[in-house]
Amino acid sequence: MINLKDINALHANDIARAVERVAASGWYLRGVETREFEREYAEYIGCDHCVGCGNGLDALTLILMAYVELGVMHHGDEVIVPANTYIASMIAVSRAGLVPVPVEPRIDTLQIDDSLIEQTITPRTRAVMIVHMYGRCAMTPGIATLCRKHGLRLIEDNAQAHGCRYGDRLTGSLGDAAGHSFYPTKNLGALGDAGAVTTDDSRLAEMVRALGNYGSERKYVFSHLGVNSRIDEMQAAVLRVKLPHLDSENETRRRNARYYIDHVSNRHLTLPSLDYWRHSVFHLFPILSPYRDELRDFLMQNGVATDIHYPVPPHMQGAYSAWNGRSYPITERIHTEELSIPVDQTLTQERIMEITALLNAFEPH
């Protein structure tokens, strides 16, 4: 659905120079490229600190592990998460020795329903994790109010929403800490796995950095049981090339999305609304249809690749087998009906029009 070769070709010469620079430097971890990327990304997001790590899952896990190490949370404490998220959000909670508590999303935004959060809060609740799914901002005034009222940490899973705005601020700077993924398909993608944590909390940032380096704050001295999760110099250098282009490439995605929203008219499909469009950078363009599988086959037969995000919800996965008997009807509907169509910045206007025509022509049998 997304041609990474074409996306990276937009910056091919600069990427090649960055890779050559790192290769020639003889320094491949925790060097100048990493320090500069962390500084530049923190400045872009609007946070005091950015700590690079191995991937987005590690970013979220390290945040929660750090809160445990700092005594803010304790094993067995609960973290509220959207029920329809990608399973990595929940795995991070579990890996840190905490308990994920799923909450249903809204069908119109596909984001956590803030009206359902308070009823799930217990004496063990320590945080709310919002996930900016598909590139749409999940933050609401109600979530901010709830976190203040109950003294909860607000953690952002910003894996899919680099550059997305909430008022005059960017996602990744709205809560106490945020995890970012730079997986190659993301709006800001590396040439492999990479991630980062952003926060204004100096103690948290220091602990995240130590835990990602085996638990070491200085060489060969280990104060904590950490892991090995560090962004490498090559990925940091590539991300430095691509970061200055993120906003303009997001605008291209938004223009593509707006064309779909304005021109697709098919009673069998539910597209994002104009309000949705205003709050998204369209990492993905999600369509809902009760005829999802038939639609996907129709598009494939006509040369349009699509993907499903995601076919099996977390509560129905073997990894969380204790939840398999639970019912989350809105989540289950989304996972049954969602189809992602191409929307990235390499698409030509002609291609967008072709896909639009096919969507309008679709009729289920």
Side-chain angles (χ1 to χ4, degrees):
M1 186 181 74
I2 180 170
N3 189 320
L4 293 177
K5 184 176 179 180
D6 287 351
I7 282 179
N8 289 312
L10 298 173
H11 315 292
N13 291 337
D14 289 338
I15 289 174
R17 282 192 288 270
V19 169
E20 183 178 358
R21 182 175 70 243
V22 173
S25 73
W27 196 293
Y28 307 121
L29 282 169
R30 307 184 76 193
V32 172
E33 300 292 346
T34 295
R35 288 196 297 274
E36 286 302 296
F37 172 70
E38 289 177 341
R39 180 186 62 78
E40 291 162 5
Y41 194 63
E43 182 177 320
Y44 173 79
I45 291 294
C47 282
D48 291 340
H49 306 282
C50 171
V51 182
C53 59
N55 53 68
L57 171 58
D58 283 358
L60 293 172
T61 306
L62 287 166
I63 292 169
L64 296 166
M65 288 175 62
Y67 277 134
V68 171
E69 287 291 312
L70 292 169
V72 174
M73 301 180 189
H74 300 88
H75 289 164
D77 284 345
E78 297 170 353
V79 178
I80 292 169
V81 292
N84 65 315
T85 186
Y86 182 55
I87 199 170
S89 311
M90 295 184 182
I91 290 174
V93 177
S94 299
R95 283 178 61 192
L98 306 169
V99 179
V101 177
V103 170
E104 283 268 65
R106 287 173 45 167
I107 194 64
D108 59 334
T109 66
L110 310 182
Q111 309 299 321
I112 192 168
D113 188 338
D114 60 4
S115 71
L116 302 178
I117 292 175
E118 191 160 27
Q119 66 194 49
T120 67
I121 295 174
T122 75
R124 298 303 302 269
T125 306
R126 295 292 177 268
V128 175
M129 181 186 291
I130 56 174
V131 183
H132 305 298
M133 291 283 291
Y134 308 114
R136 190 189 194 281
C137 181
M139 185 62 171
T140 69
I143 291 172
T145 299
L146 277 174
C147 288
R148 286 195 300 269
K149 176 182 176 181
H150 295 278
L152 305 177
R153 292 295 195 277
L154 178 61
I155 300 168
E156 297 173 79
D157 181 339
N158 199 47
Q160 299 186 3
H162 310 132
C164 187
R165 291 196 169 272
Y166 179 73
D168 61 354
R169 299 176 65 185
L170 290 181
T171 55
S173 71
L174 308 178
D176 294 283
H180 307 255
S181 167
F182 305 119
Y183 185 75
T185 60
K186 306 301 187 187
N187 291 38
L188 180 62
L191 298 187
D193 271 327
V197 171
T198 54
T199 183
D200 287 333
D201 185 334
S202 298
R203 289 182 67 230
L204 181 69
E206 290 169 4
M207 184 61 72
V208 165
R209 191 177 299 281
L211 290 173
N213 187 40
Y214 300 99
S216 173
E217 294 170 347
R218 58 191 180 93
K219 196 170 184 179
Y220 300 137
V221 176
F222 304 94
S223 303
H224 314 281
L225 291 176
V227 297
N228 176 14
S229 182
R230 301 170 298 199
I231 192 170
D232 68 66
E233 288 287 277
M234 200 74 75
Q235 303 305 338
V238 170
L239 291 168
R240 292 185 67 201
V241 168
K242 299 173 81 171
L243 179 58
H245 304 281
L246 176 59
D247 287 343
S248 64
E249 291 180 351
N250 280 345
E251 278 306 306
T252 301
R253 287 173 177 264
R254 286 164 51 80
R255 284 198 302 272
N256 292 343
R258 180 64 186 266
Y259 188 90
Y260 287 139
I261 291 168
D262 287 346
H263 294 89
V264 174
S265 179
N266 186 320
R267 62 190 177 91
H268 304 297
L269 314 178
T270 301
L271 271 66
S273 65
L274 272 180
D275 179 67
Y276 188 111
W277 176 85
R278 293 185 187 98
H279 296 88
S280 181
V281 290
F282 288 96
H283 169 59
L284 300 168
F285 189 96
I287 288 176
L288 297 182
S289 175
Y291 308 100
R292 189 265 310 281
D293 295 340
E294 194 173 342
L295 172 62
R296 190 181 195 198
D297 289 344
F298 171 78
L299 292 172
M300 181 61 72
Q301 290 165 11
N302 286 278
V304 178
T306 60
D307 207 346
I308 299 170
H309 296 90
Y310 300 92
V312 183
H315 73 277
M316 299 176 74
Q317 298 280 2
Y320 288 102
S321 57
W323 297 354
N324 289 174
R326 296 185 185 182
S327 176
Y328 296 96
I330 302 300
T331 292
E332 290 161 21
R333 176 183 168 189
I334 292 170
H335 286 255
T336 301
E337 296 189 3
E338 194 276 339
L339 186 68
S340 301
I341 63 172
V343 75
D344 72 78
Q345 63 268 29
T346 66
L347 294 173
T348 64
Q349 183 66 22
E350 181 182 17
R351 185 58 171 161
I352 293 286
M353 293 171 67
E354 289 172 356
I355 296 170
T356 299
L358 288 169
L359 292 169
N360 285 332
F362 171 71
E363 282 293 333
H365 295 109

Short mmCIF file of all heavy atoms in Angstrom, two decimals, residues 48-106:
data_model
loop_
_atom_site.label_atom_id
_atom_site.label_comp_id
_atom_site.label_asym_id
_atom_site.label_seq_id
_atom_site.Cartn_x
_atom_site.Cartn_y
_atom_site.Cartn_z
N ASP A 48 11.16 19.64 26.42
CA ASP A 48 12.51 19.91 26.90
C ASP A 48 13.48 18.76 26.59
O ASP A 48 14.68 18.99 26.44
CB ASP A 48 12.50 20.14 28.42
CG ASP A 48 11.81 21.43 28.81
OD1 ASP A 48 11.68 22.32 27.94
OD2 ASP A 48 11.39 21.54 29.98
N HIS A 49 12.95 17.54 26.52
CA HIS A 49 13.82 16.38 26.38
C HIS A 49 13.32 15.42 25.31
O HIS A 49 12.11 15.20 25.17
CB HIS A 49 13.91 15.61 27.71
CG HIS A 49 14.32 16.45 28.86
ND1 HIS A 49 15.63 16.83 29.09
CD2 HIS A 49 13.59 17.01 29.87
CE1 HIS A 49 15.68 17.57 30.17
NE2 HIS A 49 14.46 17.69 30.66
N CYS A 50 14.24 14.84 24.59
CA CYS A 50 13.99 13.72 23.68
C CYS A 50 15.08 12.69 23.92
O CYS A 50 16.27 13.03 23.97
CB CYS A 50 14.02 14.17 22.22
SG CYS A 50 13.98 12.81 21.02
N VAL A 51 14.67 11.44 24.11
CA VAL A 51 15.62 10.34 24.31
C VAL A 51 15.37 9.30 23.23
O VAL A 51 14.30 8.71 23.17
CB VAL A 51 15.45 9.70 25.71
CG1 VAL A 51 16.48 8.59 25.90
CG2 VAL A 51 15.58 10.74 26.81
N GLY A 52 16.34 9.09 22.36
CA GLY A 52 16.21 8.10 21.31
C GLY A 52 16.27 6.69 21.86
O GLY A 52 16.96 6.43 22.85
N CYS A 53 15.56 5.77 21.22
CA CYS A 53 15.59 4.37 21.64
C CYS A 53 15.38 3.47 20.42
O CYS A 53 15.34 3.95 19.29
CB CYS A 53 14.55 4.09 22.72
SG CYS A 53 12.86 4.43 22.22
N GLY A 54 15.26 2.17 20.66
CA GLY A 54 15.28 1.21 19.56
C GLY A 54 14.05 1.18 18.69
O GLY A 54 14.14 0.91 17.49
N ASN A 55 12.88 1.48 19.26
CA ASN A 55 11.63 1.40 18.49
C ASN A 55 10.50 2.00 19.32
O ASN A 55 10.69 2.38 20.48
CB ASN A 55 11.31 -0.06 18.12
CG ASN A 55 11.32 -0.98 19.32
OD1 ASN A 55 10.46 -0.89 20.18
ND2 ASN A 55 12.33 -1.85 19.40
N GLY A 56 9.31 2.06 18.74
CA GLY A 56 8.18 2.66 19.43
C GLY A 56 7.69 1.88 20.62
O GLY A 56 7.28 2.46 21.64
N LEU A 57 7.69 0.55 20.53
CA LEU A 57 7.29 -0.27 21.67
C LEU A 57 8.22 -0.03 22.85
O LEU A 57 7.77 0.15 23.99
CB LEU A 57 7.30 -1.75 21.29
CG LEU A 57 7.11 -2.75 22.43
CD1 LEU A 57 5.80 -2.52 23.16
CD2 LEU A 57 7.18 -4.19 21.91
N ASP A 58 9.51 0.01 22.59
CA ASP A 58 10.46 0.28 23.66
C ASP A 58 10.24 1.67 24.26
O ASP A 58 10.40 1.86 25.47
CB ASP A 58 11.89 0.17 23.15
CG ASP A 58 12.35 -1.27 22.99
OD1 ASP A 58 11.56 -2.18 23.30
OD2 ASP A 58 13.48 -1.48 22.53
N ALA A 59 9.90 2.64 23.43
CA ALA A 59 9.68 3.99 23.93
C ALA A 59 8.58 4.00 24.99
O ALA A 59 8.76 4.56 26.09
CB ALA A 59 9.33 4.93 22.78
N LEU A 60 7.46 3.37 24.69
CA LEU A 60 6.36 3.32 25.65
C LEU A 60 6.75 2.50 26.88
O LEU A 60 6.44 2.88 28.02
CB LEU A 60 5.12 2.73 24.99
CG LEU A 60 4.48 3.56 23.88
CD1 LEU A 60 3.38 2.76 23.20
CD2 LEU A 60 3.92 4.87 24.43
N THR A 61 7.41 1.37 26.65
CA THR A 61 7.81 0.51 27.77
C THR A 61 8.77 1.23 28.70
O THR A 61 8.65 1.15 29.93
CB THR A 61 8.46 -0.78 27.24
OG1 THR A 61 7.58 -1.41 26.30
CG2 THR A 61 8.77 -1.74 28.37
N LEU A 62 9.73 1.94 28.13
CA LEU A 62 10.72 2.65 28.94
C LEU A 62 10.07 3.75 29.78
O LEU A 62 10.48 3.99 30.92
CB LEU A 62 11.82 3.23 28.05
CG LEU A 62 12.80 2.20 27.47
CD1 LEU A 62 13.61 2.82 26.35
CD2 LEU A 62 13.70 1.64 28.56
N ILE A 63 9.08 4.43 29.23
CA ILE A 63 8.36 5.44 30.02
C ILE A 63 7.76 4.81 31.27
O ILE A 63 7.93 5.30 32.40
CB ILE A 63 7.25 6.11 29.18
CG1 ILE A 63 7.84 6.96 28.07
CG2 ILE A 63 6.32 6.94 30.07
CD1 ILE A 63 6.81 7.42 27.04
N LEU A 64 7.07 3.69 31.07
CA LEU A 64 6.38 3.04 32.19
C LEU A 64 7.36 2.40 33.15
O LEU A 64 7.18 2.46 34.38
CB LEU A 64 5.39 2.03 31.63
CG LEU A 64 4.26 2.65 30.80
CD1 LEU A 64 3.52 1.60 30.00
CD2 LEU A 64 3.29 3.42 31.70
N MET A 65 8.42 1.79 32.62
CA MET A 65 9.46 1.24 33.49
C MET A 65 10.09 2.34 34.34
O MET A 65 10.40 2.15 35.53
CB MET A 65 10.54 0.54 32.66
CG MET A 65 10.11 -0.77 32.03
SD MET A 65 11.41 -1.45 30.93
CE MET A 65 12.77 -1.69 32.09
N ALA A 66 10.30 3.50 33.72
CA ALA A 66 10.91 4.62 34.45
C ALA A 66 10.01 5.09 35.57
O ALA A 66 10.48 5.39 36.68
CB ALA A 66 11.21 5.76 33.48
N TYR A 67 8.71 5.15 35.31
CA TYR A 67 7.78 5.55 36.38
C TYR A 67 7.81 4.54 37.53
O TYR A 67 7.70 4.93 38.70
CB TYR A 67 6.37 5.69 35.83
CG TYR A 67 6.09 7.02 35.16
CD1 TYR A 67 5.45 7.08 33.92
CD2 TYR A 67 6.44 8.22 35.78
CE1 TYR A 67 5.17 8.30 33.32
CE2 TYR A 67 6.18 9.44 35.17
CZ TYR A 67 5.55 9.48 33.94
OH TYR A 67 5.28 10.69 33.35
N VAL A 68 7.96 3.27 37.21
CA VAL A 68 8.07 2.26 38.27
C VAL A 68 9.37 2.45 39.06
O VAL A 68 9.38 2.43 40.29
CB VAL A 68 7.99 0.83 37.68
CG1 VAL A 68 8.32 -0.22 38.74
CG2 VAL A 68 6.60 0.56 37.09
N GLU A 69 10.47 2.66 38.35
CA GLU A 69 11.76 2.86 39.02
C GLU A 69 11.75 4.10 39.91
O GLU A 69 12.38 4.14 40.97
CB GLU A 69 12.89 2.98 37.99
CG GLU A 69 13.26 1.68 37.32
CD GLU A 69 13.95 0.71 38.28
OE1 GLU A 69 14.87 1.13 39.00
OE2 GLU A 69 13.53 -0.46 38.31
N LEU A 70 11.01 5.11 39.48
CA LEU A 70 10.94 6.36 40.23
C LEU A 70 9.93 6.30 41.37
O LEU A 70 9.81 7.26 42.15
CB LEU A 70 10.59 7.52 39.29
CG LEU A 70 11.67 7.90 38.26
CD1 LEU A 70 11.09 8.86 37.23
CD2 LEU A 70 12.88 8.53 38.95
N GLY A 71 9.20 5.20 41.47
CA GLY A 71 8.22 5.05 42.53
C GLY A 71 6.89 5.73 42.27
O GLY A 71 6.03 5.78 43.16
N VAL A 72 6.72 6.24 41.07
CA VAL A 72 5.45 6.88 40.70
C VAL A 72 4.37 5.82 40.49
O VAL A 72 3.19 6.05 40.77
CB VAL A 72 5.63 7.74 39.43
CG1 VAL A 72 4.31 8.29 38.94
CG2 VAL A 72 6.63 8.86 39.70
N MET A 73 4.79 4.67 39.97
CA MET A 73 3.89 3.54 39.76
C MET A 73 4.51 2.30 40.38
O MET A 73 5.73 2.25 40.62
CB MET A 73 3.64 3.30 38.27
CG MET A 73 3.02 4.47 37.54
SD MET A 73 2.77 4.13 35.78
CE MET A 73 2.31 5.76 35.18
N HIS A 74 3.69 1.31 40.65
CA HIS A 74 4.15 0.05 41.22
C HIS A 74 3.53 -1.10 40.45
O HIS A 74 2.45 -0.97 39.86
CB HIS A 74 3.75 -0.03 42.70
CG HIS A 74 4.34 1.07 43.53
ND1 HIS A 74 3.72 2.30 43.70
CD2 HIS A 74 5.51 1.13 44.23
CE1 HIS A 74 4.48 3.05 44.46
NE2 HIS A 74 5.57 2.39 44.80
N HIS A 75 4.24 -2.21 40.42
CA HIS A 75 3.74 -3.38 39.71
C HIS A 75 2.32 -3.71 40.15
O HIS A 75 2.02 -3.73 41.36
CB HIS A 75 4.66 -4.58 39.94
CG HIS A 75 5.98 -4.45 39.26
ND1 HIS A 75 7.07 -5.23 39.57
CD2 HIS A 75 6.40 -3.62 38.27
CE1 HIS A 75 8.10 -4.87 38.81
NE2 HIS A 75 7.71 -3.91 38.01
N GLY A 76 1.46 -3.95 39.18
CA GLY A 76 0.05 -4.21 39.46
C GLY A 76 -0.83 -2.99 39.31
O GLY A 76 -2.06 -3.11 39.29
N ASP A 77 -0.23 -1.79 39.20
CA ASP A 77 -1.03 -0.59 38.96
C ASP A 77 -1.62 -0.64 37.55
O ASP A 77 -1.14 -1.37 36.67
CB ASP A 77 -0.17 0.67 39.12
CG ASP A 77 0.09 1.01 40.59
OD1 ASP A 77 -0.63 0.46 41.45
OD2 ASP A 77 1.00 1.82 40.85
N GLU A 78 -2.63 0.18 37.32
CA GLU A 78 -3.41 0.10 36.08
C GLU A 78 -3.17 1.32 35.18
O GLU A 78 -2.99 2.44 35.66
CB GLU A 78 -4.91 0.01 36.42
CG GLU A 78 -5.26 -1.26 37.19
CD GLU A 78 -6.67 -1.26 37.74
OE1 GLU A 78 -7.36 -0.21 37.65
OE2 GLU A 78 -7.10 -2.31 38.26
N VAL A 79 -3.19 1.05 33.88
CA VAL A 79 -3.06 2.10 32.87
C VAL A 79 -4.22 1.94 31.89
O VAL A 79 -4.39 0.88 31.28
CB VAL A 79 -1.71 2.01 32.12
CG1 VAL A 79 -1.64 3.08 31.03
CG2 VAL A 79 -0.54 2.14 33.09
N ILE A 80 -5.01 2.98 31.73
CA ILE A 80 -6.15 2.95 30.81
C ILE A 80 -5.64 3.14 29.39
O ILE A 80 -4.83 4.02 29.11
CB ILE A 80 -7.16 4.05 31.20
CG1 ILE A 80 -7.81 3.70 32.55
CG2 ILE A 80 -8.22 4.22 30.12
CD1 ILE A 80 -8.62 4.83 33.15
N VAL A 81 -6.13 2.29 28.48
CA VAL A 81 -5.71 2.32 27.07
C VAL A 81 -6.94 2.15 26.18
O VAL A 81 -7.93 1.56 26.60
CB VAL A 81 -4.69 1.20 26.76
CG1 VAL A 81 -3.38 1.44 27.46
CG2 VAL A 81 -5.26 -0.16 27.15
N PRO A 82 -6.89 2.64 24.94
CA PRO A 82 -8.01 2.41 24.03
C PRO A 82 -8.09 0.94 23.63
O PRO A 82 -7.07 0.31 23.33
CB PRO A 82 -7.71 3.30 22.83
CG PRO A 82 -6.24 3.56 22.90
CD PRO A 82 -5.86 3.51 24.34
N ALA A 83 -9.28 0.39 23.61
CA ALA A 83 -9.46 -1.04 23.31
C ALA A 83 -9.10 -1.38 21.87
O ALA A 83 -8.76 -2.53 21.57
CB ALA A 83 -10.91 -1.45 23.60
N ASN A 84 -9.16 -0.40 20.96
CA ASN A 84 -8.92 -0.68 19.54
C ASN A 84 -7.51 -0.35 19.09
O ASN A 84 -7.23 -0.32 17.89
CB ASN A 84 -9.90 0.12 18.68
CG ASN A 84 -9.69 1.63 18.79
OD1 ASN A 84 -9.52 2.15 19.88
ND2 ASN A 84 -9.70 2.32 17.67
N THR A 85 -6.60 -0.11 20.03
CA THR A 85 -5.24 0.25 19.64
C THR A 85 -4.48 -0.94 19.04
O THR A 85 -4.89 -2.10 19.18
CB THR A 85 -4.46 0.79 20.85
OG1 THR A 85 -3.19 1.28 20.41
CG2 THR A 85 -4.23 -0.30 21.89
N TYR A 86 -3.38 -0.62 18.38
CA TYR A 86 -2.44 -1.67 18.01
C TYR A 86 -1.90 -2.28 19.30
O TYR A 86 -1.65 -1.58 20.28
CB TYR A 86 -1.30 -1.09 17.17
CG TYR A 86 -0.30 -2.12 16.69
CD1 TYR A 86 -0.71 -3.24 15.98
CD2 TYR A 86 1.06 -1.97 16.96
CE1 TYR A 86 0.20 -4.18 15.54
CE2 TYR A 86 1.98 -2.91 16.53
CZ TYR A 86 1.55 -4.01 15.82
OH TYR A 86 2.45 -4.95 15.39
N ILE A 87 -1.69 -3.58 19.31
CA ILE A 87 -1.40 -4.30 20.55
C ILE A 87 -0.12 -3.82 21.25
O ILE A 87 0.04 -4.01 22.46
CB ILE A 87 -1.34 -5.82 20.27
CG1 ILE A 87 -1.52 -6.62 21.58
CG2 ILE A 87 -0.06 -6.17 19.53
CD1 ILE A 87 -1.73 -8.10 21.36
N ALA A 88 0.78 -3.16 20.52
CA ALA A 88 2.03 -2.68 21.14
C ALA A 88 1.75 -1.76 22.32
O ALA A 88 2.49 -1.76 23.31
CB ALA A 88 2.89 -1.97 20.11
N SER A 89 0.69 -0.95 22.23
CA SER A 89 0.37 -0.04 23.34
C SER A 89 0.13 -0.83 24.62
O SER A 89 0.56 -0.43 25.71
CB SER A 89 -0.87 0.79 23.00
OG SER A 89 -0.78 1.38 21.72
N MET A 90 -0.57 -1.94 24.49
CA MET A 90 -0.89 -2.76 25.66
C MET A 90 0.31 -3.61 26.10
O MET A 90 0.53 -3.80 27.29
CB MET A 90 -2.09 -3.65 25.34
CG MET A 90 -3.35 -2.86 25.09
SD MET A 90 -4.77 -3.92 24.82
CE MET A 90 -6.04 -2.69 24.51
N ILE A 91 1.08 -4.10 25.14
CA ILE A 91 2.26 -4.89 25.48
C ILE A 91 3.22 -4.05 26.33
O ILE A 91 3.82 -4.54 27.29
CB ILE A 91 2.96 -5.39 24.21
CG1 ILE A 91 2.12 -6.48 23.53
CG2 ILE A 91 4.36 -5.94 24.53
CD1 ILE A 91 2.67 -6.94 22.19
N ALA A 92 3.35 -2.77 26.00
CA ALA A 92 4.25 -1.90 26.77
C ALA A 92 3.82 -1.84 28.23
O ALA A 92 4.66 -1.90 29.14
CB ALA A 92 4.25 -0.50 26.16
N VAL A 93 2.52 -1.74 28.46
CA VAL A 93 2.00 -1.70 29.84
C VAL A 93 2.32 -3.01 30.55
O VAL A 93 2.83 -3.01 31.68
CB VAL A 93 0.48 -1.43 29.83
CG1 VAL A 93 -0.08 -1.45 31.25
CG2 VAL A 93 0.17 -0.10 29.14
N SER A 94 2.05 -4.12 29.89
CA SER A 94 2.29 -5.43 30.50
C SER A 94 3.76 -5.66 30.76
O SER A 94 4.14 -6.20 31.82
CB SER A 94 1.72 -6.53 29.60
OG SER A 94 0.32 -6.38 29.42
N ARG A 95 4.62 -5.29 29.83
CA ARG A 95 6.06 -5.51 29.99
C ARG A 95 6.62 -4.74 31.18
O ARG A 95 7.62 -5.15 31.78
CB ARG A 95 6.80 -5.08 28.72
CG ARG A 95 6.72 -6.07 27.58
CD ARG A 95 7.44 -5.56 26.36
NE ARG A 95 8.85 -5.34 26.58
CZ ARG A 95 9.67 -4.68 25.74
NH1 ARG A 95 9.18 -4.14 24.64
NH2 ARG A 95 10.94 -4.54 26.02
N ALA A 96 5.98 -3.62 31.52
CA ALA A 96 6.44 -2.83 32.66
C ALA A 96 5.88 -3.33 33.99
O ALA A 96 6.12 -2.72 35.04
CB ALA A 96 6.06 -1.37 32.46
N GLY A 97 5.14 -4.45 33.95
CA GLY A 97 4.58 -5.00 35.17
C GLY A 97 3.29 -4.33 35.61
O GLY A 97 2.87 -4.48 36.75
N LEU A 98 2.66 -3.60 34.68
CA LEU A 98 1.42 -2.89 34.96
C LEU A 98 0.25 -3.59 34.26
O LEU A 98 0.46 -4.53 33.49
CB LEU A 98 1.54 -1.43 34.52
CG LEU A 98 2.75 -0.68 35.11
CD1 LEU A 98 2.95 0.65 34.43
CD2 LEU A 98 2.58 -0.49 36.61
N VAL A 99 -0.95 -3.11 34.51
CA VAL A 99 -2.14 -3.78 33.99
C VAL A 99 -2.87 -2.87 33.01
O VAL A 99 -3.36 -1.79 33.41
CB VAL A 99 -3.10 -4.17 35.14
CG1 VAL A 99 -4.36 -4.84 34.59
CG2 VAL A 99 -2.38 -5.07 36.14
N PRO A 100 -2.97 -3.25 31.73
CA PRO A 100 -3.74 -2.43 30.79
C PRO A 100 -5.24 -2.60 31.02
O PRO A 100 -5.72 -3.71 31.24
CB PRO A 100 -3.32 -2.99 29.42
CG PRO A 100 -2.84 -4.37 29.69
CD PRO A 100 -2.33 -4.40 31.10
N VAL A 101 -5.96 -1.48 30.98
CA VAL A 101 -7.42 -1.49 31.16
C VAL A 101 -8.03 -0.89 29.89
O VAL A 101 -7.99 0.33 29.69
CB VAL A 101 -7.83 -0.67 32.40
CG1 VAL A 101 -9.35 -0.64 32.53
CG2 VAL A 101 -7.18 -1.25 33.65
N PRO A 102 -8.60 -1.73 29.02
CA PRO A 102 -9.13 -1.23 27.75
C PRO A 102 -10.42 -0.42 27.92
O PRO A 102 -11.28 -0.77 28.73
CB PRO A 102 -9.40 -2.51 26.95
CG PRO A 102 -8.65 -3.60 27.66
CD PRO A 102 -8.63 -3.20 29.09
N VAL A 103 -10.53 0.64 27.13
CA VAL A 103 -11.74 1.46 27.08
C VAL A 103 -12.14 1.61 25.62
O VAL A 103 -11.28 1.85 24.75
CB VAL A 103 -11.50 2.85 27.72
CG1 VAL A 103 -12.66 3.80 27.44
CG2 VAL A 103 -11.28 2.71 29.22
N GLU A 104 -13.43 1.49 25.34
CA GLU A 104 -13.94 1.55 23.98
C GLU A 104 -13.67 2.91 23.31
O GLU A 104 -13.63 3.95 23.98
CB GLU A 104 -15.45 1.31 23.99
CG GLU A 104 -15.85 -0.14 24.16
CD GLU A 104 -16.03 -0.85 22.83
OE1 GLU A 104 -15.03 -0.99 22.11
OE2 GLU A 104 -17.16 -1.26 22.54
N PRO A 105 -13.52 2.91 21.98
CA PRO A 105 -13.38 4.16 21.22
C PRO A 105 -14.75 4.70 20.79
O PRO A 105 -15.78 4.04 20.96
CB PRO A 105 -12.60 3.71 19.99
CG PRO A 105 -13.11 2.32 19.75
CD PRO A 105 -13.36 1.72 21.12
N ARG A 106 -14.73 5.89 20.23
CA ARG A 106 -15.89 6.44 19.55
C ARG A 106 -15.86 6.00 18.10
O ARG A 106 -14.80 5.98 17.47
CB ARG A 106 -15.89 7.97 19.61
CG ARG A 106 -16.23 8.53 20.96
CD ARG A 106 -16.05 10.03 21.03
NE ARG A 106 -16.59 10.73 19.87
CZ ARG A 106 -16.77 12.05 19.82
NH1 ARG A 106 -16.44 12.80 20.87
NH2 ARG A 106 -17.25 12.63 18.73
#
